[in-house]
Amino acid sequence: MLEKLKEEVLKANKLIKEYNLAILTWGNVSGIDREKNMIVIKPSGVDYDDLTVDDLVVVSLDARVVEGKLNPSTDLKTHIELYKSFPEIGGVTHTHSTYAVVFAQANMEIPCLGTTHADNFFGSVPLTRYLTEAEVFEDYERNTGKVIVETMKKYDLHSNPGILVAGHGPFTWGKTPIESVKNSLILEKIAEMAFKTMLLNPDVKDLPEYVIKKHYLRKHGPDSYYGQKNR
């Protein structure tokens, strides 16, 4: 079942380690088949080097395991909330990458300080509020997804392909599982750049809005001219 999607989700999960976005088993990627409303996700606690296609778990949108012998990622319900709320996305990635987590633990958005950031995120990387005590103990993972959705109502999903969960870490998304991992890599690198810039100059200001707009739109806007059109 969903063999092509499984192969992509396997590759995407292994990219987490290749991109140095997590150690041990600190991350997961999922993908969704929108026609079948089925999700393929990494199993909980399985090392990336040991992970195979047969280990991946197929689940329904009500979190029911449809195929697979292992337990799905503990973050499954967070992924489900994102898929249910954002029908245009096809992949979700969660990591505990160092610099992104630093900002999440500091309860800070990642400010847009330079054009590398502006090429990929239109302004600061969003940050959720902390979950309440009731939300944590009632249904932690599902409510993590809900607080992401709540926060993203203020932003454009496409120009902000990721978010920091306060005190926790980053979640990113994309049209495919691979794209969602690449957005995690981008988020981590701009977090590192922002952190080091703020160490060098604690009084640094955000990039002017007109520069942010120019850099984002030249790559992603309707009249974009970055890259090759016929290749």
Side-chain angles (χ1 to χ4, degrees), residues 212-227:
I212 294 174
K213 185 174 182 180
K214 175 64 177 180
H215 266 263
Y216 186 81
L217 292 180
R218 74 171 187 165
K219 192 170 184 178
H220 303 284
D223 300 316
S224 63
Y225 54 91
Y226 176 87

Side-chain angles (χ1 to χ4, degrees), residues 49-61:
D49 288 335
D50 299 330
L51 191 64
T52 69
V53 167
D54 293 336
D55 294 326
L56 298 175
V57 187
V58 179
V59 297
S60 62
L61 284 175

Side-chain angles (χ1 to χ4, degrees), residues 12-115:
N13 274 285
K14 288 182 178 292
L15 283 176
I16 287 180
K17 183 173 182 180
E18 182 178 328
Y19 290 160
N20 295 315
L21 294 174
I23 61 172
L24 304 175
T25 61
W26 297 2
N28 46 75
V29 185
S30 69
I32 188 169
D33 184 311
R34 290 289 181 183
E35 291 185 0
K36 294 182 173 63
N37 280 328
M38 297 289 179
I39 297 167
V40 176
I41 194 166
K42 180 183 180 290
S44 178
V46 176
D47 190 275
Y48 298 104
D49 288 335
D50 299 330
L51 191 64
T52 69
V53 167
D54 293 336
D55 294 326
L56 298 175
V57 187
V58 179
V59 297
S60 62
L61 284 175
D62 60 1
R64 178 175 53 87
V65 173
V66 176
E67 183 180 274
K69 298 178 181 179
L70 301 177
N71 294 326
S73 167
T74 53
D75 295 305
L76 170 63
K77 290 183 179 180
T78 305
H79 289 238
I80 287 174
E81 287 302 311
L82 300 185
Y83 287 126
K84 287 168 65 176
S85 298
F86 306 142
E88 58 268 58
I89 68 174
V92 173
T93 296
H94 172 50
T95 74
H96 289 261
S97 58
T98 301
Y99 287 95
V101 168
V102 165
F103 276 92
Q105 291 181 165
N107 199 29
M108 293 174 60
E109 294 183 348
I110 303 171
C112 186
L113 304 178
T115 60

Side-chain angles (χ1 to χ4, degrees), residues 126-230:
L127 172 77
T128 73
R129 62 173 173 81
Y130 284 111
L131 274 71
T132 66
E133 184 175 2
E135 287 171 330
V136 169
F137 287 102
E138 178 184 276
D139 196 343
Y140 177 58
E141 289 79 15
R142 189 179 302 281
N143 285 326
T144 297
K146 288 184 179 296
V147 80
I148 291 172
V149 173
E150 170 191 301
T151 305
M152 287 307 298
K153 289 178 180 178
K154 308 168 192 173
Y155 298 88
D156 178 76
L157 189 72
H158 300 289
S159 57
N160 294 276
I163 194 168
L164 302 177
V165 176
H168 186 167
F171 283 82
T172 58
W173 44 82
K175 294 178 182 178
T176 66
I178 298 293
E179 185 177 286
S180 74
V181 181
K182 289 182 178 179
N183 285 332
S184 283
L185 176 61
I186 291 167
L187 192 154
E188 174 63 9
K189 296 309 291 186
I190 62 178
E192 180 181 358
M193 292 174 188
F195 179 83
K196 291 179 177 178
T197 300
M198 293 163 76
L199 281 179
L200 188 65
N201 179 8
D203 299 319
V204 65
K205 303 298 183 184
D206 285 6
L207 194 67
E209 187 174 351
Y210 59 87
V211 182
I212 294 174
K213 185 174 182 180
K214 175 64 177 180
H215 266 263
Y216 186 81
L217 292 180
R218 74 171 187 165
K219 192 170 184 178
H220 303 284
D223 300 316
S224 63
Y225 54 91
Y226 176 87
Q228 305 301 319
K229 300 298 183 184
N230 301 313

